[in-house]
Amino acid sequence: QPGAAHIAHLAADIRLVSSAVRFLEFPALASTSSSTDSAEHPAMAVLSAAWPTLSAFNAAPWRGVPAVVEALCEVYTRALLCAKMAAAPLLPHLLEALRDIFVAHTAHSACCLDTLASAVEVFSTGSGGGGGALGVMAPAAVSHIPDAAVADAFAQTLLAVAQAAHGALTSAPSMADRAETARATFELAQRFALFAPQQLL
């Protein structure tokens, strides 16, 4: 197991990717998920180039290191919020990574659920084509994920993380021992109820 100083430096290095995409918001490029468009969203260009390295940290043993997981989730959330629908080509890989990390280490990976919550909002039509809610007073039926394959991927990911969260919460001595897991789980359920209610059925 690497030392604390090494882990801290590694997490800081991963967060440099987040810093690189933080201000790469280009609305005209973020409004489409087509892989045939000539212009690739800059945030996706950065994430795609870094993916071979990032994917290694998605796996064991690094996904068992809280600081590394938090840094990864920061990168993925920033990329989703910047690229929005243009993140579609990498979405299956992101969902798989978030699911596998959380299922393997629920105790310290609530941030995976936070990133998943951002993703479902981005890919819902109720968020104005990616990135912005209609509001909690809008009818739930207005919001949905239009792409059937994407909707199914979200549903399968939700099922897996919900089962893992249930196991972690019911096996804990008290809810307070898994407070972050409980918070992230309930907030994720709320986000699905607002932006993808069909995936809760």
Side-chain angles (χ1 to χ4, degrees):
Q1 179 74 15
H6 179 77
I7 290 173
H9 284 121
L10 178 59
D13 288 342
I14 294 173
R15 282 191 166 91
L16 289 176
V17 181
S18 176
S19 298
V21 302
R22 184 175 184 178
F23 300 107
L24 296 178
E25 295 192 34
F26 294 83
L29 297 178
S31 62
T32 177
S33 60
S34 174
S35 60
T36 61
D37 291 336
S38 58
E40 181 181 20
H41 194 285
M44 283 299 95
V46 172
L47 194 60
S48 296
W51 187 254
T53 299
L54 295 175
S55 61
F57 293 119
N58 293 332
W62 297 108
R63 67 184 180 191
V65 181
V68 171
V69 172
E70 290 171 6
L72 287 171
C73 286
E74 183 177 314
V75 172
Y76 300 151
T77 301
R78 293 286 189 190
L80 284 165
L81 294 178
C82 285
K84 298 181 174 62
M85 294 296 288
L90 275 177
L91 182 65
H93 304 293
L94 290 176
L95 294 181
E96 180 182 16
L98 295 170
R99 179 200 67 200
D100 290 349
I101 293 171
F102 183 76
V103 169
H105 300 280
T106 56
H108 67 249
S109 55
C111 57
C112 291
L113 303 188
D114 295 332
T115 301
L116 181 57
S118 295
V120 74
E121 181 174 352
V122 163
F123 282 88
S124 168
T125 57
S127 60
L134 287 178
V136 296
M137 298 304 294
V142 170
S143 301
H144 70 284
I145 299 173
D147 187 295
V150 172
D152 183 65
F154 271 108
Q156 295 302 317
T157 302
L158 176 63
L159 177 62
V161 299
Q163 289 175 336
H166 177 266
L169 294 172
T170 56
S171 64
S174 71
M175 188 72 75
D177 294 321
R178 293 288 185 271
E180 270 299 287
T181 301
R183 174 203 59 78
T185 301
F186 290 126
E187 289 182 3
L188 177 63
Q190 180 192 42
R191 204 70 66 91
F192 266 85
L194 286 172
F195 298 106
Q198 289 300 313
Q199 277 57 63
L200 287 174
L201 301 179

